[in-house]
Amino acid sequence: MCGIVGYIGHREAYPIVIKGLQRLEYRGYDSAGVMVYDGKDIVVSKTKGKVVDLEQKSAGVDMSGTIGIGHTRWATHGVPNDVNSHPHVSNSGDLVIIHNGIIENYAPLKEELIKRGYVFHSDTDTEVLVNLIEEVQKKEKLKLGKAVQVALNQVVGAYAIAVFDKKNPNEIVAARLGSPLAIGIGEGEYFIASDASPFIEYTSNAVYLEDGEMANIRLHKQMKVRKIKDDSLVDPYIQELKMNLEQIEKGGYDHFMLKEIYEQPSVIKDTYRGRLLANEGIIRMAGIEDNLEKFLNADRIIIVACGTSWHAGLVAEYIFEEFTRVPVEVEYASEFRYRNPIIGPKDVVIAISQSGETADTMAAIKLAKEKGAFVFGVCNVVGSSISRETHAGAYTHAGPEIGVASTKAFTTQITVLTMIALRLAKAKGTLSNTDYHMYLQELELIPEKVKEALGTNDIAKEIAATFVDAPNCLYLGRGYNFPVALEGALKLKEISYIHAEGYPAAEMKHGPIALIDEHMPVVVIAPRKGHYDKIVSNIQEIKSRSGRIIAVVTKGDTEVRKLADFVIEIPETSDALSPLLTTIPLQLLSYHIAVMRECNVDQPRNLAKSVTVE
């Protein structure tokens, strides 16, 4: 959840670390801190609040030095305040640490360290870890790298850490287990970060540490990577980064979220580019072709995901069952591993995650593999943990998604999953040739239709002004668009803090209808294809109870228009592909309501982009 940044080299560290923290602030933003070493002394500045608050606190302080580490926090242990902010310093004042993750057995470790005379100033598990490293270092007379390794073999939990020792100031030790960590390799300099965005303008070469690995990063020496468990040397794979600086800047938009909403036509096209050849009737995806028999022989498909990715999985359930006639179950990854699920070698598990680092999804993957299932990953971040842990997979090509509330991740995940379902349907013969070719042609047209759907921005803004003060909102959809109702409600909750619920439209009368009155806005997703007549009946039920109806309809609709208070039109497409269009106005509506409520759209309270703790 937290973001960590480090630098060791020939440049001034502070500006690099601060800029890196700003780029990682989507990972956590309740407090921030930085340490620099000026050649003689450690200087630490940290504060509750955002990186801008850290900059203000550090103004006037001499932060010069060519070694530095920084942290932006999403609180786990201890409330957000100055003391609990990272970096944390050991009792001697020599060791400094930044940490992303959770040390689950910190309490007994802390008790033991207190007995040995250690004093703690914060409520964090991280301060326990830095003092444990110091105790190991003193007791066994070890250098920093070895002390970190010994200490990490005593802890239970997840971590990405960077540790600095004033007594050996030409080195930073980094390690990871369950939380991502990238090391940028420049000319006579190294960069450490939770992802590559903090150092993309300095180097295009990076090493992504694998789970259970640590790196000794030393000035003027080659980096050494070892296994934490047994100290064995690892030959690190240096990969060339594909990200560019433009992708992680706002590009003239007021917020990253709005930029990412408007990127959807291009990123959907990027996601199917080279994979979808509609005129030739071909879908070609290496991860599927290489494992086609696994999919064709599967008794069922289990989809595991969290949040927005779970909603994409629900859409995929409808698509897979309709196209391939294989039973599909969609599971919350956070619940999956704890209910002793029945999984076997003839199951295919599809794990979906934007970041590729979601801790709950990673845990579900490991369980599925232990049970003998074939595990296929769908994620956005090249080199992420899920891409390495799964047997095979497919990347979305959404580019970096900085806004905490996912938008383009959702539509590109659906795009990938739809292509997989179509490829399997073709191989199984469960779709007619006519339908197969129709879907390929329709999918190729989706980017232009999304662009047209983005033209609803002005009407979404007008509707937002009407409902900006609504305390509650209900979202209704049927069939393929029921998951879109869930996603629409989630977006509103996440960024505007308005309570919202998504429901299957037919379920409304089994409870939620009791909430409907003249003050309740009800968003109804009612495209012409699918269960149109049924949802018109549901709208009439709402209307008869004075509910205020916002309807998302197919262009040219007349029947729903007579009943709804507000209408948003989208282009026509097939029922199965309609979620790629119906979700667009819901994203815009949530965005504008949040802006009008003066909420922090890109960094909503209590949330973080990459959820690397359970």
Side-chain angles (χ1 to χ4, degrees):
M1 297 285 244
C2 308
I4 68 176
V5 181
Y7 176 78
I8 181 168
H10 51 82
R11 307 174 199 255
E12 283 294 315
Y14 178 76
I16 293 170
V17 172
I18 284 292
K19 188 188 289 185
L21 292 179
Q22 288 168 340
R23 290 183 183 161
L24 291 180
E25 204 164 15
Y26 67 89
R27 300 182 67 90
Y29 32 86
D30 57 38
S31 56
V34 62
M35 177 230 79
V36 293
Y37 179 70
D38 64 5
K40 290 192 293 186
D41 297 312
I42 287 169
V43 181
V44 174
S45 179
K46 57 184 187 174
T47 184
K48 176 185 176 181
K50 298 182 181 294
V51 177
V52 67
D53 300 306
L54 174 63
E55 287 185 279
Q56 290 170 1
K57 184 165 184 176
S58 305
V61 179
D62 183 2
M63 302 297 291
S64 58
T66 58
I67 298 175
I69 56 177
H71 187 272
T72 180
R73 183 173 185 243
W74 186 85
T76 54
H77 294 75
V79 299
N81 61 29
D82 292 4
V83 175
N84 288 332
S85 305
H86 298 213
H88 287 283
V89 182
S90 66
N91 274 194
S92 71
D94 289 337
L95 303 189
V96 186
I97 193 171
I98 50 177
H99 169 218
N100 172 20
I102 289 179
I103 306 303
E104 294 177 6
N105 63 333
Y106 84 100
L109 291 171
K110 186 174 184 177
E111 285 179 21
E112 183 60 31
L113 289 168
I114 289 170
K115 289 176 187 175
R116 298 183 188 187
Y118 284 83
V119 176
F120 291 90
H121 306 284
S122 76
D123 302 315
T124 67
D125 53 340
T126 305
E127 192 184 9
V128 175
L129 180 56
V130 73
N131 282 302
L132 176 64
I133 295 168
E134 178 161 286
E135 174 65 8
V136 169
Q137 195 179 34
K138 286 194 309 185
K139 186 178 178 183
E140 302 189 26
K141 297 180 172 56
L142 299 174
K143 291 182 179 179
L144 178 63
K146 189 64 179 175
V148 169
Q149 181 196 359
V150 171
L152 291 178
N153 277 308
Q154 296 179 33
V155 303
V156 176
Y159 52 79
I161 61 170
V163 192
F164 174 79
D165 184 355
K166 182 181 173 183
K167 301 189 299 298
N168 186 17
N170 291 322
E171 177 183 43
I172 295 175
V173 174
R176 71 154 289 184
L177 181 68
S179 294
L181 201 61
I183 300 169
I185 303 170
E187 292 290 330
E189 60 186 350
Y190 291 95
F191 306 82
I192 304 161
S194 297
D195 66 37
S197 61
F199 55 77
I200 189 64
E201 67 259 54
Y202 303 107
T203 180
S204 59
N205 295 319
V207 168
Y208 289 88
L209 289 186
E210 299 282 353
D211 259 0
E213 290 182 354
M214 60 182 288
N216 288 68
I217 304 162
R218 296 172 291 180
L219 269 178
H220 314 304
K221 291 188 179 180
Q222 189 172 359
M223 176 178 68
K224 286 192 175 178
V225 178
R226 298 178 181 272
K227 293 283 187 185
I228 294 167
K229 192 169 185 180
D230 61 11
D231 200 38
S232 58
L233 276 170
V234 174
D235 185 16
Y237 170 64
I238 300 173
Q239 67 182 64
E240 187 177 350
L241 300 170
K242 303 299 182 187
M243 188 189 303
N244 62 60
L245 197 56
E246 281 183 14
Q247 290 178 304
I248 57 173
E249 301 293 347
K250 287 182 185 172
Y253 288 90
D254 289 338
H255 298 92
F256 281 111
M257 182 180 179
L258 188 61
K259 174 177 178 271
E260 288 155 11
I261 289 171
Y262 274 86
E263 285 175 341
Q264 286 174 109
S266 62
V267 297
I268 290 170
K269 189 176 287 187
D270 287 344
T271 294
Y272 70 57
R273 192 191 308 276
R275 294 164 161 172
L276 171 67
L277 304 171
N279 290 336
E280 299 172 43
I282 293 172
I283 289 177
R284 187 183 297 124
M285 303 173 73
I288 299 298
E289 299 305 320
D290 294 346
N291 300 281
L292 191 58
E293 290 304 311
K294 294 278 189 186
F295 280 93
L296 295 180
N297 294 326
D299 287 339
R300 63 176 175 164
I301 293 171
I302 303 169
I303 296 174
V304 292
C306 301
T308 289
S309 296
W310 185 74
H311 296 155
L314 288 177
V315 175
E317 178 181 19
Y318 284 89
I319 292 172
F320 271 93
E321 292 195 341
E322 176 74 23
F323 290 5
T324 72
R325 309 310 298 155
V326 176
V328 177
E329 297 175 17
V330 185
E331 301 267 4
Y332 282 114
S334 54
E335 289 293 317
F336 184 68
R337 67 183 295 219
Y338 292 111
R339 64 169 188 80
N340 194 20
I342 300 168
I343 315 167
K346 294 202 75 178
D347 291 324
V348 167
V349 173
I350 299 177
I352 313 171
S353 166
Q354 188 282 140
S355 67
E357 302 292 348
T358 310
D360 290 314
T361 308
M362 281 292 294
I365 288 168
K366 289 175 181 175
L367 175 63
K369 287 172 72 176
E370 287 169 10
K371 301 283 189 180
F374 175 74
V375 184
F376 189 91
V378 174
C379 67
N380 188 37
V381 180
V382 176
S384 59
S385 297
I386 284 174
S387 70
R388 297 195 299 270
E389 189 70 32
T390 49
H391 294 113
Y395 287 114
T396 59
H397 293 294
E401 190 179 62
I402 308 299
V404 167
S406 278
T407 50
K408 61 180 181 174
F410 182 65
T411 48
T412 53
Q413 286 167 355
I414 292 172
T415 301
V416 163
L417 294 161
T418 300
M419 287 192 293
I420 295 170
L422 285 167
R423 177 65 187 94
L424 298 181
K426 175 70 171 173
K428 289 170 67 75
T430 47
L431 265 184
S432 69
N433 273 335
T434 302
D435 285 345
Y436 174 75
H437 285 280
M438 179 273 291
Y439 281 119
L440 263 58
Q441 297 287 346
E442 272 298 310
L443 189 54
E444 193 174 55
L445 293 172
I446 284 294
E448 282 303 312
K449 293 185 177 184
V450 170
K451 193 179 292 184
E452 188 178 339
L454 288 167
T456 63
N457 182 64
D458 288 345
I459 183 67
K461 194 171 183 180
E462 178 188 329
I463 296 167
T466 303
F467 295 106
V468 65
D469 294 319
N472 300 286
C473 190
L474 189 62
Y475 287 72
L476 302 176
R478 298 186 78 128
Y480 290 100
N481 283 294
F482 160 52
V484 176
L486 295 176
E487 176 62 12
L490 177 62
K491 285 286 111 23
L492 191 67
K493 280 183 278 201
E494 284 180 314
I495 62 172
S496 74
Y497 318 139
I498 292 173
H499 172 255
E501 296 290 342
Y503 262 87
E507 282 295 299
M508 176 189 61
K509 54 186 169 290
H510 297 288
I513 199 167
L515 301 172
I516 293 174
D517 59 19
E518 67 275 15
H519 305 296
M520 172 70 86
V522 184
V523 179
V524 184
I525 306 160
R528 190 175 292 122
K529 299 282 178 67
H531 309 280
Y532 183 75
D533 292 340
K534 297 292 184 184
I535 209 157
V536 168
S537 298
N538 299 140
I539 291 170
Q540 289 169 330
E541 292 163 0
I542 299 163
K543 192 71 176 173
S544 66
R545 288 157 180 83
S546 303
R548 305 183 72 187
I549 299 162
I550 305 160
V552 178
V553 301
T554 304
K555 194 172 182 179
D557 181 283
T558 55
E559 196 167 348
V560 172
R561 184 176 288 277
K562 295 173 189 173
L563 299 169
D565 298 273
F566 297 91
V567 170
I568 304 174
E569 290 189 334
I570 58 165
E572 186 162 2
T573 190
S574 65
D575 192 24
L577 300 183
S578 63
L580 292 164
L581 303 181
T582 54
T583 193
I584 303 298
L586 305 189
Q587 294 172 352
L588 291 167
L589 181 63
S590 297
Y591 170 79
H592 287 299
I593 289 176
V595 169
M596 291 174 189
R597 289 168 68 91
E598 299 183 352
C599 300
N600 190 330
V601 172
D602 287 334
Q603 297 170 356
R605 69 187 181 204
N606 302 335
L607 295 179
K609 184 69 179 172
S610 181
V611 186
T612 56
V613 295
E614 288 190 62

